[in-house]
Structures are given as C-alpha cells and as structure tokens.
Amino acid sequence: MNRVIIIGGGIGGAATALALSRAGFEPVVYERTKELREVGAGIALWANATHILSQLGLLEAAKQVGYLTTNYKFNSQRGKELVNVAIDRFELPVIGIHRAELHQLLWCNVPSERFILGESFERFERKNNQVHAYFASGLSVEGKALIGADGLRSRVRSAILGNEPPMYRNFKTWRGLTDYVPSGYRPGYIQEFLGGGKGFGFMMLGKGKMYWYAAATAIEAQPDAVMGRKKELETMYQDWFPSIPELITATDEANILTTDLYDRPPTQPWSQQNITLLGDAAHPMLPTMGQGACTALEDAYVVAKCLKEQSDPIAAFQQYESLRFPRTKAIVEQSLQSGKMGELKNPLAVGLRNTLMKVMGSAISSSFKSLHTYRA
C-alpha cells in the first residue's frame, strides 16, 4: 500500500499532496475545516519557491494569477530610501500572489477525492509498520506514513513531541487587501517602511490587488482598540509615508486580519519513525524574511523526493529532516534577528539602525541573494 496520510490542507499540505501524487504515491489529505480556503493575504514567492512551482509544472499558471516583482525596497517611516535590493536577477521570477490563488493552483492539480474535509485529527497508533490515524468524527485510516502539515499549533507535533507551546515574539500583525493602488506605488516593488517598534509594507498581487501588512510591538492576545482595527491603524500610521494611511483608509474593515506572531527555537528531531512534520508544524518562523510559505513548498518537494528514493519511510524521513533542518534553522534565526531590529523604539536607536542599513546595503543584498539562490 502506497498511501501517505497528510494532516492539514493548507499550502504545505496541498503542495505535499501534489508532489507525492507526481512521485507515484497515494496521498490523502485530512483537513479540519469544512471548506478549503486560505485567508485573504498575499505572499511573495521568492526564487527558491518559484523553483518548486517550476518543478511541479505550475510556474506559468502562477505567473498568470500573480504579479512579477523586481525590487525589495526598505525605507524610513517617511519614505527615505535605506536599501534597494534588485530581486529580478535570478533565472526564476519572484511572484506576488494571493494565498488563495496559490492554494487553488496546488489543490486543483490533485484529484478532489484526495482531500477529505471536516476531519479533526486526534491521535495515532502504529501497527505492523502502518500508521493508523484517528479523527474526532470516529473515522480511522491507515497508511505507510503520516505527515503533519497542520500549522503552528500542530496536533501531530503534540502527539509525537509533546505539548510545548510556541513562543510569542512581542509583535502583533495586521494584513489588508484592497483594489486601491496609491500614487506612491512603484510598479514591481515591495516597499517596506521601518519606524520605532512598528513597520509597514505593501506590494502588488495579481488581478490588480494591493496587499499591505503592518506589525507593531504588543502584548500577547492584545484586543482590538475600542475604535476598531481600521481607525486604530489610521491613528498609528497617520504621520507615515502618505501611501500608508491612504491604503488603510481604502481597505474595508472586513478585509483587515490580525494575528499575533510566534515561532519556535529550532530543535530536532521533528520526525518519529514513519511520522514527520512539515512547514509551520516543523519550523514556524516570523514573517520578516517572507519565507514561511516558501520553505513549506521546499519541504513538500524534498519530502516527496526522499520518499521516492528510500523505500522505507523511516529512512526517508530521517533523510528529509537532515536535508531540511540546517536551512530552516538558519531562516528561523534570521527571521527572529530581523524581528528584533524592528522592536527598537528609542529614536536614536531607530536612527542608528536606519543608518546601518544604508551602510550595509550590499551585505543585505547578498544575504537576500544567498537565501533565494537555494534550489531544493
């Protein structure tokens, strides 16, 4: 039997199902929500991720629904340029895409009977080299291996590694989506603005959508302001680069999402015999390097390759983990460092950071390059 059970049908789970089907396996994805849908947010697929799409035969389709991105520009909060990184120098494009569009691209290429919705994973047992997964509904299934792609608070992770909670990193984030394109937008650019204890960025996605994101230091689970999310953000960013308050004002309150930011210090193992983890379940990271979904795509491709090369899933998962751990560890740590730079509030410290960024422009460019030239 060639069945591989995947828990979680987000981007990581859907990509794994596709990569495994292409490698001749029979993946079945169990997703606890009743419908497959991704939240209304955008992502940048860097060259290391568009490489995976290319390997899966989806690159052209992604270009159709996404937007080609050429530069990543860091600015002071008022819009003074700090660093401008050219990101169109790879053999593969960087694409701004809505998460839902990417999700759909992945799962519409896998037979729909491979996605079982409304099933909440509870526990597993091993019997004769097979994994038996049990769900809240009373359903039980067996397969030769099980992959937990069930996100930050992964049930699969808890089942194999215990219930250690992720770490709150003192930031709250907001994400918005609008059709409004501000006059200060430069085509092809991801623009990021850095202030004291907060930041803001925006980029174009496909289909004429503008995606923006904001982050600010906050206590964990801090409730929305009484005035509501939108008003709170308008107040927070009123004296920033003019496009920023414009974008917030142009976004419907219903299209502004908020989440707290967590990660985990990188640790091994994240596999146990014929069970392994992938994406946020294995190595959650802050979004500061924009690599969360990108590394999940890499994981999906690599885990399928290892299962194809090794007939024994235990050996395959050990190989997968040893290939993925050093890279994801480096990115988790780099993302955290980057987050710490954003925590600075003292105006002198902020000024110093901004000056440093200008001075270190070429170093920043080359660290970006080494991150994105990686080919899984």
mmCIF file of all heavy atoms in Angstrom, residues 66-108:
data_model
loop_
_atom_site.group_PDB
_atom_site.id
_atom_site.type_symbol
_atom_site.label_atom_id
_atom_site.label_comp_id
_atom_site.label_asym_id
_atom_site.label_seq_id
_atom_site.Cartn_x
_atom_site.Cartn_y
_atom_site.Cartn_z
ATOM 1 N N GLY A 66 -0.464 35.776 -10.664
ATOM 2 C CA GLY A 66 0.368 36.560 -9.746
ATOM 3 C C GLY A 66 0.893 37.813 -10.419
ATOM 4 O O GLY A 66 0.450 38.190 -11.508
ATOM 5 N N TYR A 67 1.854 38.450 -9.767
ATOM 6 C CA TYR A 67 2.416 39.700 -10.272
ATOM 7 C C TYR A 67 3.941 39.613 -10.148
ATOM 8 O O TYR A 67 4.455 39.240 -9.092
ATOM 9 C CB TYR A 67 1.871 40.856 -9.428
ATOM 10 C CG TYR A 67 2.362 42.223 -9.862
ATOM 11 C CD1 TYR A 67 1.737 42.909 -10.904
ATOM 12 C CD2 TYR A 67 3.457 42.824 -9.234
ATOM 13 C CE1 TYR A 67 2.185 44.152 -11.314
ATOM 14 C CE2 TYR A 67 3.911 44.075 -9.641
ATOM 15 C CZ TYR A 67 3.273 44.741 -10.688
ATOM 16 O OH TYR A 67 3.718 45.967 -11.088
ATOM 17 N N LEU A 68 4.650 39.936 -11.223
ATOM 18 C CA LEU A 68 6.110 39.820 -11.193
ATOM 19 C C LEU A 68 6.731 40.968 -10.399
ATOM 20 O O LEU A 68 6.447 42.137 -10.647
ATOM 21 C CB LEU A 68 6.677 39.797 -12.615
ATOM 22 C CG LEU A 68 6.322 38.547 -13.428
ATOM 23 C CD1 LEU A 68 6.995 38.586 -14.794
ATOM 24 C CD2 LEU A 68 6.726 37.257 -12.704
ATOM 25 N N THR A 69 7.562 40.608 -9.453
ATOM 26 C CA THR A 69 8.160 41.577 -8.536
ATOM 27 C C THR A 69 9.635 41.726 -8.872
ATOM 28 O O THR A 69 10.319 40.735 -9.112
ATOM 29 C CB THR A 69 7.970 41.053 -7.093
ATOM 30 O OG1 THR A 69 6.569 40.823 -6.912
ATOM 31 C CG2 THR A 69 8.443 42.032 -6.068
ATOM 32 N N THR A 70 10.124 42.971 -8.911
ATOM 33 C CA THR A 70 11.502 43.208 -9.351
ATOM 34 C C THR A 70 12.423 43.719 -8.239
ATOM 35 O O THR A 70 13.622 43.498 -8.273
ATOM 36 C CB THR A 70 11.531 44.243 -10.494
ATOM 37 O OG1 THR A 70 10.954 45.471 -9.988
ATOM 38 C CG2 THR A 70 10.730 43.780 -11.704
ATOM 39 N N ASN A 71 11.874 44.447 -7.270
ATOM 40 C CA ASN A 71 12.709 45.089 -6.241
ATOM 41 C C ASN A 71 12.093 44.979 -4.859
ATOM 42 O O ASN A 71 10.872 44.954 -4.727
ATOM 43 C CB ASN A 71 12.888 46.582 -6.549
ATOM 44 C CG ASN A 71 13.757 46.818 -7.764
ATOM 45 O OD1 ASN A 71 13.328 46.533 -8.883
ATOM 46 N ND2 ASN A 71 14.958 47.316 -7.557
ATOM 47 N N TYR A 72 12.978 44.963 -3.868
ATOM 48 C CA TYR A 72 12.536 44.978 -2.467
ATOM 49 C C TYR A 72 13.221 46.187 -1.853
ATOM 50 O O TYR A 72 14.436 46.228 -1.742
ATOM 51 C CB TYR A 72 12.993 43.686 -1.785
ATOM 52 C CG TYR A 72 12.336 43.394 -0.454
ATOM 53 C CD1 TYR A 72 12.186 42.081 -0.016
ATOM 54 C CD2 TYR A 72 11.888 44.394 0.376
ATOM 55 C CE1 TYR A 72 11.589 41.786 1.210
ATOM 56 C CE2 TYR A 72 11.282 44.114 1.596
ATOM 57 C CZ TYR A 72 11.144 42.800 2.004
ATOM 58 O OH TYR A 72 10.557 42.515 3.213
ATOM 59 N N LYS A 73 12.403 47.184 -1.478
ATOM 60 C CA LYS A 73 12.990 48.445 -1.032
ATOM 61 C C LYS A 73 12.622 48.728 0.421
ATOM 62 O O LYS A 73 11.463 48.673 0.795
ATOM 63 C CB LYS A 73 12.481 49.567 -1.938
ATOM 64 C CG LYS A 73 13.074 50.925 -1.681
ATOM 65 C CD LYS A 73 12.830 51.823 -2.885
ATOM 66 C CE LYS A 73 13.133 53.266 -2.582
ATOM 67 N NZ LYS A 73 11.974 54.014 -2.095
ATOM 68 N N PHE A 74 13.645 48.982 1.228
ATOM 69 C CA PHE A 74 13.442 49.366 2.631
ATOM 70 C C PHE A 74 13.533 50.883 2.742
ATOM 71 O O PHE A 74 14.439 51.500 2.157
ATOM 72 C CB PHE A 74 14.523 48.745 3.519
ATOM 73 C CG PHE A 74 14.477 47.254 3.568
ATOM 74 C CD1 PHE A 74 15.232 46.478 2.701
ATOM 75 C CD2 PHE A 74 13.661 46.595 4.490
ATOM 76 C CE1 PHE A 74 15.193 45.090 2.741
ATOM 77 C CE2 PHE A 74 13.610 45.212 4.544
ATOM 78 C CZ PHE A 74 14.383 44.452 3.670
ATOM 79 N N ASN A 75 12.619 51.456 3.510
ATOM 80 C CA ASN A 75 12.579 52.911 3.663
ATOM 81 C C ASN A 75 12.419 53.279 5.139
ATOM 82 O O ASN A 75 11.968 52.470 5.950
ATOM 83 C CB ASN A 75 11.353 53.492 2.942
ATOM 84 C CG ASN A 75 11.184 52.975 1.531
ATOM 85 O OD1 ASN A 75 11.756 53.505 0.604
ATOM 86 N ND2 ASN A 75 10.421 51.901 1.355
ATOM 87 N N SER A 76 12.734 54.547 5.436
ATOM 88 C CA SER A 76 12.378 55.059 6.766
ATOM 89 C C SER A 76 10.863 55.241 6.784
ATOM 90 O O SER A 76 10.215 55.154 5.734
ATOM 91 C CB SER A 76 13.059 56.407 6.995
ATOM 92 O OG SER A 76 12.422 57.392 6.181
ATOM 93 N N GLN A 77 10.288 55.548 7.945
ATOM 94 C CA GLN A 77 8.823 55.634 8.004
ATOM 95 C C GLN A 77 8.268 56.746 7.117
ATOM 96 O O GLN A 77 7.137 56.673 6.653
ATOM 97 C CB GLN A 77 8.337 55.790 9.445
ATOM 98 C CG GLN A 77 8.635 57.113 10.106
ATOM 99 C CD GLN A 77 8.048 57.167 11.522
ATOM 100 O OE1 GLN A 77 8.395 56.358 12.362
ATOM 101 N NE2 GLN A 77 7.163 58.111 11.774
ATOM 102 N N ARG A 78 9.094 57.766 6.843
ATOM 103 C CA ARG A 78 8.616 58.872 5.990
ATOM 104 C C ARG A 78 8.895 58.614 4.505
ATOM 105 O O ARG A 78 8.534 59.415 3.652
ATOM 106 C CB ARG A 78 9.301 60.188 6.411
ATOM 107 C CG ARG A 78 8.894 60.680 7.794
ATOM 108 C CD ARG A 78 7.448 61.188 7.774
ATOM 109 N NE ARG A 78 6.951 61.518 9.086
ATOM 110 C CZ ARG A 78 7.152 62.680 9.702
ATOM 111 N NH1 ARG A 78 7.898 63.612 9.139
ATOM 112 N NH2 ARG A 78 6.612 62.895 10.880
ATOM 113 N N GLY A 79 9.614 57.511 4.233
ATOM 114 C CA GLY A 79 9.808 57.152 2.822
ATOM 115 C C GLY A 79 11.206 57.397 2.283
ATOM 116 O O GLY A 79 11.426 57.320 1.073
ATOM 117 N N LYS A 80 12.169 57.685 3.164
ATOM 118 C CA LYS A 80 13.539 57.867 2.694
ATOM 119 C C LYS A 80 14.159 56.504 2.405
ATOM 120 O O LYS A 80 14.085 55.606 3.245
ATOM 121 C CB LYS A 80 14.361 58.612 3.751
ATOM 122 C CG LYS A 80 15.401 59.536 3.146
ATOM 123 C CD LYS A 80 15.885 60.546 4.147
ATOM 124 C CE LYS A 80 17.018 59.872 4.933
ATOM 125 N NZ LYS A 80 17.443 60.609 6.093
ATOM 126 N N GLU A 81 14.772 56.347 1.220
ATOM 127 C CA GLU A 81 15.321 55.037 0.843
ATOM 128 C C GLU A 81 16.496 54.639 1.735
ATOM 129 O O GLU A 81 17.415 55.420 1.956
ATOM 130 C CB GLU A 81 15.782 55.067 -0.621
ATOM 131 C CG GLU A 81 16.352 53.739 -1.076
ATOM 132 C CD GLU A 81 16.676 53.693 -2.572
ATOM 133 O OE1 GLU A 81 15.839 54.139 -3.390
ATOM 134 O OE2 GLU A 81 17.772 53.220 -2.914
ATOM 135 N N LEU A 82 16.441 53.391 2.250
ATOM 136 C CA LEU A 82 17.555 52.851 3.036
ATOM 137 C C LEU A 82 18.329 51.829 2.206
ATOM 138 O O LEU A 82 19.533 51.916 2.060
ATOM 139 C CB LEU A 82 17.033 52.202 4.331
ATOM 140 C CG LEU A 82 16.217 53.104 5.264
ATOM 141 C CD1 LEU A 82 15.648 52.300 6.434
ATOM 142 C CD2 LEU A 82 17.059 54.272 5.788
ATOM 143 N N VAL A 83 17.609 50.847 1.667
ATOM 144 C CA VAL A 83 18.246 49.799 0.846
ATOM 145 C C VAL A 83 17.280 49.427 -0.273
ATOM 146 O O VAL A 83 16.085 49.284 -0.041
ATOM 147 C CB VAL A 83 18.514 48.504 1.673
ATOM 148 C CG1 VAL A 83 19.257 47.474 0.833
ATOM 149 C CG2 VAL A 83 19.284 48.803 2.936
ATOM 150 N N ASN A 84 17.827 49.269 -1.464
ATOM 151 C CA ASN A 84 17.000 48.844 -2.592
ATOM 152 C C ASN A 84 17.637 47.581 -3.182
ATOM 153 O O ASN A 84 18.715 47.630 -3.747
ATOM 154 C CB ASN A 84 16.950 49.972 -3.623
ATOM 155 C CG ASN A 84 15.944 49.667 -4.740
ATOM 156 O OD1 ASN A 84 15.510 48.537 -4.905
ATOM 157 N ND2 ASN A 84 15.585 50.697 -5.500
ATOM 158 N N VAL A 85 16.969 46.443 -2.991
ATOM 159 C CA VAL A 85 17.531 45.163 -3.440
ATOM 160 C C VAL A 85 16.839 44.731 -4.740
ATOM 161 O O VAL A 85 15.616 44.593 -4.774
ATOM 162 C CB VAL A 85 17.302 44.065 -2.363
ATOM 163 C CG1 VAL A 85 17.942 42.749 -2.792
ATOM 164 C CG2 VAL A 85 17.831 44.502 -1.003
ATOM 165 N N ALA A 86 17.652 44.553 -5.799
ATOM 166 C CA ALA A 86 17.083 44.046 -7.059
ATOM 167 C C ALA A 86 16.854 42.548 -6.897
ATOM 168 O O ALA A 86 17.775 41.813 -6.537
ATOM 169 C CB ALA A 86 18.045 44.309 -8.211
ATOM 170 N N ILE A 87 15.626 42.098 -7.132
ATOM 171 C CA ILE A 87 15.335 40.673 -6.933
ATOM 172 C C ILE A 87 14.907 39.992 -8.238
ATOM 173 O O ILE A 87 14.341 38.907 -8.223
ATOM 174 C CB ILE A 87 14.261 40.455 -5.834
ATOM 175 C CG1 ILE A 87 13.017 41.312 -6.089
ATOM 176 C CG2 ILE A 87 14.822 40.746 -4.452
ATOM 177 C CD1 ILE A 87 11.880 41.076 -5.121
ATOM 178 N N ASP A 88 15.213 40.645 -9.362
ATOM 179 C CA ASP A 88 14.860 40.023 -10.645
ATOM 180 C C ASP A 88 16.122 39.543 -11.370
ATOM 181 O O ASP A 88 16.161 39.469 -12.584
ATOM 182 C CB ASP A 88 14.065 41.004 -11.514
ATOM 183 C CG ASP A 88 14.803 42.323 -11.719
ATOM 184 O OD1 ASP A 88 15.894 42.518 -11.123
ATOM 185 O OD2 ASP A 88 14.294 43.175 -12.484
ATOM 186 N N ARG A 89 17.152 39.211 -10.587
ATOM 187 C CA ARG A 89 18.420 38.805 -11.197
ATOM 188 C C ARG A 89 18.613 37.296 -11.181
ATOM 189 O O ARG A 89 19.716 36.803 -11.382
ATOM 190 C CB ARG A 89 19.592 39.450 -10.421
ATOM 191 C CG ARG A 89 19.480 40.953 -10.268
ATOM 192 C CD ARG A 89 20.411 41.677 -11.235
ATOM 193 N NE ARG A 89 20.069 43.087 -11.344
ATOM 194 C CZ ARG A 89 20.665 44.051 -10.656
ATOM 195 N NH1 ARG A 89 21.600 43.743 -9.765
ATOM 196 N NH2 ARG A 89 20.335 45.309 -10.846
ATOM 197 N N PHE A 90 17.554 36.545 -10.852
ATOM 198 C CA PHE A 90 17.674 35.086 -10.807
ATOM 199 C C PHE A 90 17.126 34.519 -12.108
ATOM 200 O O PHE A 90 16.466 35.217 -12.859
ATOM 201 C CB PHE A 90 16.860 34.519 -9.627
ATOM 202 C CG PHE A 90 17.211 35.147 -8.309
ATOM 203 C CD1 PHE A 90 16.371 36.069 -7.713
ATOM 204 C CD2 PHE A 90 18.403 34.819 -7.670
ATOM 205 C CE1 PHE A 90 16.692 36.661 -6.501
ATOM 206 C CE2 PHE A 90 18.739 35.407 -6.455
ATOM 207 C CZ PHE A 90 17.886 36.326 -5.871
ATOM 208 N N GLU A 91 17.400 33.223 -12.335
ATOM 209 C CA GLU A 91 16.851 32.600 -13.548
ATOM 210 C C GLU A 91 15.352 32.337 -13.384
ATOM 211 O O GLU A 91 14.671 31.959 -14.325
ATOM 212 C CB GLU A 91 17.618 31.314 -13.894
ATOM 213 C CG GLU A 91 17.218 30.054 -13.146
ATOM 214 C CD GLU A 91 17.640 29.985 -11.668
ATOM 215 O OE1 GLU A 91 18.174 30.981 -11.115
ATOM 216 O OE2 GLU A 91 17.419 28.934 -11.066
ATOM 217 N N LEU A 92 14.836 32.571 -12.163
ATOM 218 C CA LEU A 92 13.417 32.365 -11.890
ATOM 219 C C LEU A 92 12.808 33.653 -11.356
ATOM 220 O O LEU A 92 13.489 34.416 -10.665
ATOM 221 C CB LEU A 92 13.258 31.261 -10.843
ATOM 222 C CG LEU A 92 13.540 29.841 -11.359
ATOM 223 C CD1 LEU A 92 14.064 28.968 -10.237
ATOM 224 C CD2 LEU A 92 12.289 29.240 -11.969
ATOM 225 N N PRO A 93 11.529 33.883 -11.622
ATOM 226 C CA PRO A 93 10.923 35.147 -11.177
ATOM 227 C C PRO A 93 10.543 35.129 -9.703
ATOM 228 O O PRO A 93 10.425 34.063 -9.092
ATOM 229 C CB PRO A 93 9.658 35.229 -12.033
ATOM 230 C CG PRO A 93 9.276 33.802 -12.273
ATOM 231 C CD PRO A 93 10.580 33.044 -12.373
ATOM 232 N N VAL A 94 10.330 36.320 -9.139
ATOM 233 C CA VAL A 94 9.720 36.466 -7.818
ATOM 234 C C VAL A 94 8.284 36.914 -8.083
ATOM 235 O O VAL A 94 8.057 37.851 -8.854
ATOM 236 C CB VAL A 94 10.478 37.514 -6.971
ATOM 237 C CG1 VAL A 94 9.756 37.758 -5.646
ATOM 238 C CG2 VAL A 94 11.913 37.047 -6.722
ATOM 239 N N ILE A 95 7.317 36.227 -7.459
ATOM 240 C CA ILE A 95 5.909 36.481 -7.779
ATOM 241 C C ILE A 95 5.139 36.896 -6.530
ATOM 242 O O ILE A 95 5.223 36.223 -5.499
ATOM 243 C CB ILE A 95 5.250 35.211 -8.388
ATOM 244 C CG1 ILE A 95 5.965 34.803 -9.688
ATOM 245 C CG2 ILE A 95 3.761 35.424 -8.646
ATOM 246 C CD1 ILE A 95 5.494 33.476 -10.270
ATOM 247 N N GLY A 96 4.393 37.997 -6.629
ATOM 248 C CA GLY A 96 3.463 38.383 -5.571
ATOM 249 C C GLY A 96 2.131 37.714 -5.884
ATOM 250 O O GLY A 96 1.603 37.861 -6.988
ATOM 251 N N ILE A 97 1.584 36.961 -4.931
ATOM 252 C CA ILE A 97 0.380 36.181 -5.231
ATOM 253 C C ILE A 97 -0.529 36.122 -4.000
ATOM 254 O O ILE A 97 -0.045 36.152 -2.865
ATOM 255 C CB ILE A 97 0.782 34.747 -5.704
ATOM 256 C CG1 ILE A 97 -0.390 33.999 -6.350
ATOM 257 C CG2 ILE A 97 1.394 33.919 -4.571
ATOM 258 C CD1 ILE A 97 0.032 32.700 -7.067
ATOM 259 N N HIS A 98 -1.823 36.074 -4.236
ATOM 260 C CA HIS A 98 -2.772 35.910 -3.134
ATOM 261 C C HIS A 98 -2.658 34.469 -2.645
ATOM 262 O O HIS A 98 -2.570 33.538 -3.449
ATOM 263 C CB HIS A 98 -4.190 36.176 -3.660
ATOM 264 C CG HIS A 98 -5.210 36.308 -2.583
ATOM 265 N ND1 HIS A 98 -5.531 35.275 -1.733
ATOM 266 C CD2 HIS A 98 -5.988 37.356 -2.203
ATOM 267 C CE1 HIS A 98 -6.458 35.680 -0.878
ATOM 268 N NE2 HIS A 98 -6.748 36.941 -1.145
ATOM 269 N N ARG A 99 -2.662 34.260 -1.335
ATOM 270 C CA ARG A 99 -2.524 32.902 -0.780
ATOM 271 C C ARG A 99 -3.575 31.955 -1.351
ATOM 272 O O ARG A 99 -3.297 30.802 -1.639
ATOM 273 C CB ARG A 99 -2.680 32.928 0.749
ATOM 274 C CG ARG A 99 -1.529 33.541 1.490
ATOM 275 C CD ARG A 99 -1.709 33.378 2.994
ATOM 276 N NE ARG A 99 -1.341 32.025 3.394
ATOM 277 C CZ ARG A 99 -0.142 31.686 3.870
ATOM 278 N NH1 ARG A 99 0.795 32.593 4.017
ATOM 279 N NH2 ARG A 99 0.109 30.439 4.206
ATOM 280 N N ALA A 100 -4.801 32.477 -1.511
ATOM 281 C CA ALA A 100 -5.889 31.629 -2.000
ATOM 282 C C ALA A 100 -5.636 31.180 -3.444
ATOM 283 O O ALA A 100 -5.974 30.057 -3.823
ATOM 284 C CB ALA A 100 -7.216 32.367 -1.896
ATOM 285 N N GLU A 101 -5.029 32.048 -4.250
ATOM 286 C CA GLU A 101 -4.729 31.694 -5.652
ATOM 287 C C GLU A 101 -3.681 30.577 -5.692
ATOM 288 O O GLU A 101 -3.783 29.636 -6.477
ATOM 289 C CB GLU A 101 -4.175 32.910 -6.425
ATOM 290 C CG GLU A 101 -5.152 34.062 -6.561
ATOM 291 C CD GLU A 101 -6.170 33.858 -7.674
ATOM 292 O OE1 GLU A 101 -6.160 32.795 -8.345
ATOM 293 O OE2 GLU A 101 -6.997 34.765 -7.865
ATOM 294 N N LEU A 102 -2.655 30.700 -4.849
ATOM 295 C CA LEU A 102 -1.606 29.675 -4.805
ATOM 296 C C LEU A 102 -2.196 28.352 -4.321
ATOM 297 O O LEU A 102 -1.945 27.285 -4.885
ATOM 298 C CB LEU A 102 -0.471 30.121 -3.864
ATOM 299 C CG LEU A 102 0.602 29.069 -3.588
ATOM 300 C CD1 LEU A 102 1.324 28.661 -4.867
ATOM 301 C CD2 LEU A 102 1.615 29.572 -2.555
ATOM 302 N N HIS A 103 -3.024 28.441 -3.295
ATOM 303 C CA HIS A 103 -3.650 27.261 -2.709
ATOM 304 C C HIS A 103 -4.457 26.515 -3.768
ATOM 305 O O HIS A 103 -4.355 25.303 -3.930
ATOM 306 C CB HIS A 103 -4.560 27.731 -1.568
ATOM 307 C CG HIS A 103 -4.933 26.660 -0.614
ATOM 308 N ND1 HIS A 103 -6.185 26.586 -0.068
ATOM 309 C CD2 HIS A 103 -4.247 25.616 -0.102
ATOM 310 C CE1 HIS A 103 -6.245 25.532 0.740
ATOM 311 N NE2 HIS A 103 -5.072 24.935 0.733
ATOM 312 N N GLN A 104 -5.236 27.301 -4.505
ATOM 313 C CA GLN A 104 -6.095 26.694 -5.524
ATOM 314 C C GLN A 104 -5.271 26.035 -6.629
ATOM 315 O O GLN A 104 -5.602 24.939 -7.098
ATOM 316 C CB GLN A 104 -7.015 27.756 -6.111
ATOM 317 C CG GLN A 104 -8.077 27.140 -6.980
ATOM 318 C CD GLN A 104 -9.227 28.087 -7.255
ATOM 319 O OE1 GLN A 104 -9.169 29.247 -6.873
ATOM 320 N NE2 GLN A 104 -10.251 27.597 -7.909
ATOM 321 N N LEU A 105 -4.179 26.702 -7.035
ATOM 322 C CA LEU A 105 -3.289 26.137 -8.059
ATOM 323 C C LEU A 105 -2.785 24.765 -7.644
ATOM 324 O O LEU A 105 -2.691 23.848 -8.455
ATOM 325 C CB LEU A 105 -2.044 27.017 -8.208
ATOM 326 C CG LEU A 105 -2.014 28.106 -9.250
ATOM 327 C CD1 LEU A 105 -0.623 28.693 -9.296
ATOM 328 C CD2 LEU A 105 -2.407 27.555 -10.605
ATOM 329 N N LEU A 106 -2.434 24.657 -6.355
ATOM 330 C CA LEU A 106 -1.892 23.393 -5.858
ATOM 331 C C LEU A 106 -2.965 22.326 -5.804
ATOM 332 O O LEU A 106 -2.820 21.245 -6.344
ATOM 333 C CB LEU A 106 -1.274 23.593 -4.465
ATOM 334 C CG LEU A 106 -0.028 24.497 -4.409
ATOM 335 C CD1 LEU A 106 0.247 24.944 -2.978
ATOM 336 C CD2 LEU A 106 1.196 23.779 -4.984
ATOM 337 N N TRP A 107 -4.102 22.649 -5.146
ATOM 338 C CA TRP A 107 -5.051 21.557 -4.951
ATOM 339 C C TRP A 107 -5.910 21.231 -6.149
ATOM 340 O O TRP A 107 -6.425 20.122 -6.251
ATOM 341 C CB TRP A 107 -5.816 21.643 -3.644
ATOM 342 C CG TRP A 107 -6.731 22.785 -3.374
ATOM 343 C CD1 TRP A 107 -6.472 23.836 -2.558
ATOM 344 C CD2 TRP A 107 -8.072 22.971 -3.832
ATOM 345 N NE1 TRP A 107 -7.542 24.678 -2.502
ATOM 346 C CE2 TRP A 107 -8.546 24.165 -3.269
ATOM 347 C CE3 TRP A 107 -8.915 22.248 -4.668
ATOM 348 C CZ2 TRP A 107 -9.819 24.668 -3.516
ATOM 349 C CZ3 TRP A 107 -10.192 22.740 -4.922
ATOM 350 C CH2 TRP A 107 -10.633 23.935 -4.351
ATOM 351 N N CYS A 108 -6.026 22.151 -7.114
ATOM 352 C CA CYS A 108 -6.844 21.779 -8.282
ATOM 353 C C CYS A 108 -6.072 20.811 -9.196
ATOM 354 O O CYS A 108 -6.613 20.257 -10.137
ATOM 355 C CB CYS A 108 -7.358 22.984 -9.041
ATOM 356 S SG CYS A 108 -6.105 23.815 -9.979
#
